[in-house]
Amino acid sequence: MNGGDLTPWVTAVEVTQPRRCLYRQWSVTLAGWSAVEDGATWDIYASHDSTNPRAECLVRSGIVPPDSQPESRFGAEQMPSVVVNGYDRVWLTQRRAPRDTIILAPDSDSSSVERAISEYGGPIGGYRVWSGMRTMHLAVKALGRAAGVNVRCLVPNYPLQALVVPPTSSYWDAMLSLLDPTAAEVWYRRTGNELVIVDPLSPRYGLGRRMTISGSIITDASAVPVRRRRVRRVIFRVPPC
Amino acid sequence: MLDDQVAPDGFTEGIGAVTVRTGWHDDPGTGESYLIEQERTIANHVGRIIRRDLERYVYEIAGSPPLEFHRETWGDVYLPKVNISGERGLKLLETETIRYYPWSSFSPGVNLSYRRELAGYVIYDLKPAPAVLTADQIDRLEDRGYSTTDVAAMPLHRVLDSGRFWRDCARGSEAVYETDTPQQAFWVGPVETTVEIVFSEPDKWTSYRITKSRIHPDDSVVDGPEFIRKESFTYRLPVPIEPPTVKATEQGDDGVRLLVEGGGSTISSTIGSPIRIPPDRYQIERRVVTEPDRTASADPWGMWDTDPASATAAAVLWADANTTDLEGFAADPTPPDEEYEEPGDPSEPEYEYWEMIADLPNTSTYEVIGQATTLDSDVVGDGQYEYRARALIGQDMSDPGPTAGITYGGSTGSSGFRTRTRRAADQSVEVDVSAPADPGILADGYGECYTVDLPVDLTELVEFVDENGDQVDEPYAELEDLAEELASRIMARENRPRLEANVTVGLPLIVLERGQGVVLGDIDWSTTGNGLIIDSSTSPDVWLVDGFRISASRSKDGSFSSLSTTIDLIEP
């Protein structure tokens, strides 16, 4: 919190990246009694090399979100302890939102912008036009840059019409709603800060180093087939342009 | 073993010990053991044997019903004039012999006839002086089986009606234990005869049981008849069935309509005209002669390979982020967007074989003896197909009938998606993409509808008037193609089942990255049951990491108390 090293007071650490999530959440139990500030950034290091305990970094600049309530407890015969929950930087990236409402426009034609505003039909407030967004790929890359990630699109492209990005959505949500028709899968690579959008029909091998886990170290294994639903009919609505 | 032990005789000692000795014959061929002798001995508290039962079975062949059964019962029972106090000892009290007559020697069960004879001591009261018998009494003597010609052997001293079997006396108090009582025990054989006769008829067994007693000749009993049904055979002869004919016609854009007629069996009859049996079902087979390539939009369930070179295993090309393209993003590893020709012969292999595409019940009408129709919608425009049909009656199937060929001229998309475009009142355009019925689901009408906004620039995709100023036939064709490509991806993502696995490892694996490839080595198990074995096998396919949980905690003295990683995996 203040640049200090809290390792000696840590009694338990849990770092989780839930299924289908790009962010990581962590929970640290400290022996102690202290006030934890919202918005403080934390680094959690981990290593499998005892000579270099700070070799790997699991969570860098993870933050304790402003609405979190760190749980503190102590009892008569019990050491006081504080549980701090937080998220890593990607979680913040997913929530970054523009200050003005953004209108994506394929060209600098003001009539298409007006048509998009009337098609949106809701409150917009002050807006800024991003022109030159001729295709969906270009719009997604621009939104990603604004959110703070590099984007690589490997899905089919389509030409984009002028579109209002709802002011209630973050850059990330706007990107995903543009990608929704292509049913893309989103994967994130921390080393290059790269968001990779993958086509569901394409085959895949996996990114980075491939790991082989031997059966001798596995203590438990379970599997379940999951099918989300059976879609038989898809209706696309194209706003007038 | 003690279930059928007789309660101790009223006037004898109590039971101290029961010993059972059995003798078995081990069949050298099958290895089965057959009981051939059993001896039960009861000793009293001081070790003196007071009762002995000896049973013996006589077999002709091991495994068959027995030929004979013999039983001897020895006991230390008071028998007047025979086994009296002071001279008491183990005496043979009764014998039982059963002789079996099975219908077929290797099948025990309801078909056993037998004759049972029980012989033993009978206690009679005595008359003070030999009797003079009347003619009527002499007749009744003969009824009891005594000879009336040999005067010396006639039982003139006995009160014949007082004869009672030793068992009945032993339990009651009908034998008086005084040596001067006018009673005597005589060996009578047989005292009781039971005969069971079993008759065999084609559909059943009939059995009668007749019991006769020598000491109570009026107590004969006839039981029966009792009927036991036999199991029956069924015979079946295959029936020659004529094959049906098929007619194939195009039905617009929906596919090929097939009409099957005829088939069935004709059974000639010596009386009247031949009998015609219509088929129960028809099976239609199809052969694809030639067919243009199916695109993704015509193959929503991924049943057809679009690319002969497509790999079965998952493979994604993840670029090295250090190499960038001109825009500054990581270079795209896919081949450049130019014309690319596959080396060798990229044409699809020809299908040689017939496959069954429909199994229909016979929906015949009054005029037609057998008929069925169906629609084959799994066709591609400009494809050539041949059809033939077979008729089924019960379990028998006919040969295939004559072949009907057709070249399907409908539009290409009809075999896969059905796409319709509509311009709404507010000038927005709606594209409705419907997939054909999922072959994995048998019920009709199952599946959800998914709606999505597509902010496409229509001016680039929709063309009402071409360069020459003429009307375009299908202005929305490009938009519909795009919609079909996107719909096939949406259906692939939602409908395709994927295996989600969770693996717990006792180490902290901290270099995990979501999307990383994982190969699970050598997790083996096997299950056996009912003579079957199910073995696991480790597939070399790669899983992708979908998530993980690493937890570590420390105990009070600072050492690790738990350390584990649970990895959430998903099929790629």
Side-chain angles (χ1 to χ4, degrees):
Chain A
M1 292 186 289
N2 52 0
D5 181 1
L6 291 176
T7 312
W9 285 272
V10 172
T11 54
V13 174
E14 190 177 278
V15 179
T16 308
Q17 183 162 0
R19 271 196 189 269
R20 294 177 277 278
C21 288
L22 301 186
Y23 63 85
R24 291 173 182 176
Q25 60 195 46
W26 47 269
S27 163
V28 170
T29 307
L30 302 162
W33 176 263
S34 73
V36 179
E37 290 172 17
D38 309 336
T41 61
W42 290 61
D43 296 328
I44 297 178
Y45 294 90
S47 163
H48 40 245
D49 180 5
S50 57
T51 61
N52 191 0
R54 301 296 167 91
E56 302 281 348
C57 179
L58 265 180
V59 170
R60 159 79 81 190
S61 312
I63 69 153
V64 177
D67 51 352
S68 74
Q69 308 287 331
E71 184 191 87
S72 341
R73 57 168 64 185
F74 72 100
E77 312 245 327
Q78 201 183 331
M79 197 164 53
S81 72
V82 175
V83 178
V84 184
N85 302 309
Y87 298 99
D88 74 337
R89 188 175 39 102
V90 177
W91 181 90
L92 203 57
T93 307
Q94 289 176 325
R95 278 153 184 78
R96 217 164 268 155
R99 239 190 269 254
D100 308 308
T101 307
I102 292 171
I103 300 184
L104 302 165
D107 47 30
S108 32
D109 185 3
S110 59
S111 63
S112 59
V113 171
E114 277 159 23
R115 192 209 34 77
I117 292 173
S118 65
E119 167 65 27
Y120 180 67
I124 295 181
Y127 65 86
R128 231 166 2 117
V129 175
W130 287 5
S131 60
M133 300 287 136
R134 282 186 312 281
T135 66
M136 182 265 285
H137 279 196
L138 287 172
V140 164
K141 285 185 181 171
L143 286 167
R145 257 197 309 265
V149 289
N150 303 317
V151 177
R152 189 148 63 95
C153 269
L154 297 172
V155 288
N157 206 351
Y158 57 83
L160 201 60
Q161 57 169 262
L163 183 67
V164 174
V165 172
T168 49
S169 80
S170 60
Y171 290 117
W172 200 273
D173 290 336
M175 265 200 297
L176 294 182
S177 75
L178 284 175
L179 290 169
D180 190 28
T182 64
E185 288 185 9
V186 178
W187 301 83
Y188 177 69
R189 201 171 172 196
R190 273 174 173 70
T191 45
N193 188 25
E194 187 181 43
L195 198 69
V196 186
I197 319 287
V198 173
D199 187 354
L201 290 184
S202 73
R204 55 209 77 160
Y205 266 147
L207 94 108
R209 277 177 282 183
R210 182 181 299 179
M211 183 186 296
T212 302
I213 300 183
S214 155
S216 56
I217 61 168
I218 294 178
T219 59
D220 196 69
S222 67
V224 60
V226 169
R227 185 204 300 271
R228 296 212 239 168
R229 41 184 158 165
R230 284 197 184 269
V231 171
R232 192 177 57 149
R233 189 175 168 208
V234 182
I235 303 179
F236 297 94
R237 183 182 173 271
V238 181
C241 63
Chain B
M1 278 295 204
L2 299 180
D3 292 342
D4 50 351
Q5 285 305 312
V6 178
D9 298 327
F11 56 96
T12 60
E13 304 95 318
I15 296 173
V18 178
T19 310
V20 180
R21 185 182 62 85
T22 51
W24 301 82
H25 165 76
D26 288 327
D27 182 50
T30 62
E32 287 178 42
S33 296
Y34 299 94
L35 182 70
I36 55 174
E37 185 177 288
Q38 180 168 274
E39 183 188 25
R40 268 197 303 276
T41 312
I42 300 178
N44 68 359
H45 293 107
V46 295
R48 189 161 151 266
I49 295 173
I50 56 172
R51 170 70 177 265
R52 177 169 171 257
D53 285 281
L54 181 65
E55 294 173 358
R56 272 203 308 279
Y57 291 88
V58 176
Y59 289 94
E60 179 184 19
I61 296 169
S64 67
L67 278 186
E68 284 176 18
F69 168 73
H70 298 279
R71 180 171 61 81
E72 293 173 358
T73 299
W74 299 68
D76 181 8
V77 173
Y78 177 78
L79 294 168
K81 305 288 190 296
V82 172
N83 203 13
I84 55 180
S85 55
E87 301 167 17
R88 288 271 290 278
L90 213 57
K91 266 198 94 54
L92 178 63
L93 297 175
E94 74 177 27
T95 61
E96 183 182 5
T97 306
I98 305 179
R99 175 134 180 109
Y100 292 96
Y101 301 91
W103 264 100
S104 43
S105 36
F106 291 100
S107 53
V110 300
N111 60 347
L112 282 179
S113 306
Y114 63 84
R115 183 189 173 85
R116 170 179 168 266
E117 289 183 355
L118 181 71
Y121 275 101
V122 180
I123 297 173
Y124 290 95
D125 294 337
L126 296 174
K127 298 181 204 162
V132 175
L133 299 174
T134 63
D136 191 32
Q137 287 171 327
I138 292 177
D139 286 335
R140 281 165 57 199
L141 255 188
E142 284 175 1
D143 284 343
R144 286 170 200 257
Y146 289 102
S147 163
T148 48
T149 50
D150 185 0
V151 174
M154 277 181 16
L156 296 173
H157 273 284
R158 304 182 221 173
V159 179
L160 287 177
D161 286 336
S162 71
R164 40 208 184 277
F165 202 48
W166 71 271
R167 281 190 190 267
D168 304 321
C169 294
R171 288 198 202 98
S173 50
E174 296 174 24
V176 181
Y177 315 138
E178 300 292 330
T179 50
D180 54 357
T181 311
Q183 284 180 335
Q184 186 165 353
F186 289 93
W187 180 269
V188 177
V191 170
E192 194 177 274
T193 310
T194 306
V195 173
E196 174 148 351
I197 315 176
V198 178
F199 300 97
S200 172
E201 279 147 69
D203 60 336
K204 63 180 185 292
W205 306 102
T206 308
S207 82
Y208 293 87
R209 197 177 312 121
I210 303 154
T211 311
K212 280 192 190 164
S213 167
R214 180 129 165 220
I215 52 180
H216 304 292
D218 302 324
D219 285 349
S220 294
V221 177
V222 177
D223 269 323
E226 187 190 337
F227 301 110
I228 302 139
R229 287 206 77 79
K230 289 184 183 176
E231 286 183 16
S232 52
F233 289 114
T234 44
Y235 292 95
R236 207 181 139 263
L237 297 168
V239 175
I241 307 176
E242 286 156 24
T245 56
V246 180
K247 283 201 264 290
T249 50
E250 250 180 58
Q251 181 161 306
D253 283 343
D254 291 334
V256 176
R257 174 153 296 279
L258 300 163
L259 175 67
V260 189
E261 277 181 327
S265 193
T266 306
I267 298 182
S268 61
S269 161
T270 51
I271 312 165
S273 49
I275 303 165
R276 190 117 173 78
I277 300 178
D280 298 331
R281 312 188 63 79
Y282 290 106
Q283 277 184 1
I284 304 179
E285 296 170 357
R286 182 183 82 171
R287 184 174 86 91
V288 175
V289 179
T290 65
E291 194 183 60
D293 270 347
R294 288 174 180 245
T295 61
S297 56
D299 181 21
W301 306 113
M303 293 190 295
W304 304 82
D305 261 351
T306 50
D307 178 3
S310 69
T312 51
V316 107
L317 309 163
W318 289 84
D320 184 0
N322 292 325
T323 309
T324 58
D325 62 8
L326 296 175
E327 291 179 65
F329 297 114
D332 189 14
T334 50
D337 193 22
E338 300 160 2
E339 285 296 315
Y340 175 69
E341 184 140 328
E342 194 80 23
D345 178 12
S347 55
E348 291 265 346
E350 248 197 50
Y351 278 106
E352 294 290 331
Y353 37 89
W354 294 86
E355 50 175 350
M356 187 182 81
I357 57 166
D359 187 335
L360 311 162
N362 178 4
T363 54
S364 64
T365 60
Y366 288 117
E367 297 91 43
V368 187
I369 190 136
Q371 188 188 68
T373 65
T374 189
L375 180 70
D376 179 16
S377 53
D378 188 26
V379 287
V380 178
D382 295 331
Q384 280 182 322
Y385 305 94
E386 285 180 0
Y387 298 92
R388 66 184 193 190
R390 296 172 189 262
L392 283 89
I393 298 179
Q395 302 165 329
D396 299 316
M397 197 191 306
S398 73
D399 288 332
T403 313
I406 187 170
T407 302
Y408 181 62
S411 65
T412 311
S414 69
S415 60
F417 289 122
R418 176 200 292 266
T419 308
R420 289 168 289 196
T421 310
R422 186 181 91 94
R423 188 143 212 143
D426 61 356
Q427 300 305 307
S428 66
V429 176
E430 292 173 3
V431 185
D432 181 349
V433 181
S434 282
D438 183 349
I441 294 194
L442 301 175
D444 197 21
Y446 189 85
E448 292 174 37
C449 178
Y450 193 88
T451 58
V452 76
D453 284 326
L454 187 62
V456 174
D457 190 350
L458 283 174
T459 56
E460 298 216 12
L461 291 182
V462 173
E463 201 176 38
F464 290 101
V465 175
D466 65 10
E467 306 87 54
N468 301 338
D470 301 323
Q471 282 281 333
V472 173
D473 282 333
E474 287 187 24
Y476 293 111
E478 271 191 61
L479 177 64
E480 286 178 358
D481 280 345
L482 174 69
E484 284 176 3
E485 289 289 320
L486 298 179
S488 69
R489 282 163 173 78
I490 290 172
M491 288 181 192
R493 180 187 68 182
E494 300 291 327
N495 296 350
R496 190 176 51 166
R498 287 164 95 173
L499 210 57
E500 284 185 4
N502 297 301
V503 163
T504 305
V505 167
L507 305 171
L509 294 176
I510 45 187
V511 287
L512 286 175
E513 176 87 72
R514 182 176 178 265
Q516 194 172 7
V518 168
V519 173
L520 294 176
D522 64 333
I523 301 178
D524 288 325
W525 51 266
S526 74
T527 291
T528 55
N530 285 351
L532 299 171
I533 299 177
I534 304 174
D535 270 336
S536 70
S537 64
T538 312
S539 85
D541 288 341
V542 176
W543 296 81
L544 297 182
V545 175
D546 196 21
F548 59 85
R549 177 191 298 128
I550 302 170
S551 64
S553 64
R554 173 154 62 179
S555 63
K556 284 186 217 142
D557 61 359
S559 58
F560 272 123
S561 69
S562 76
L563 201 59
S564 74
T565 309
T566 302
I567 312 173
D568 298 328
L569 299 170
I570 194 166
E571 259 185 307

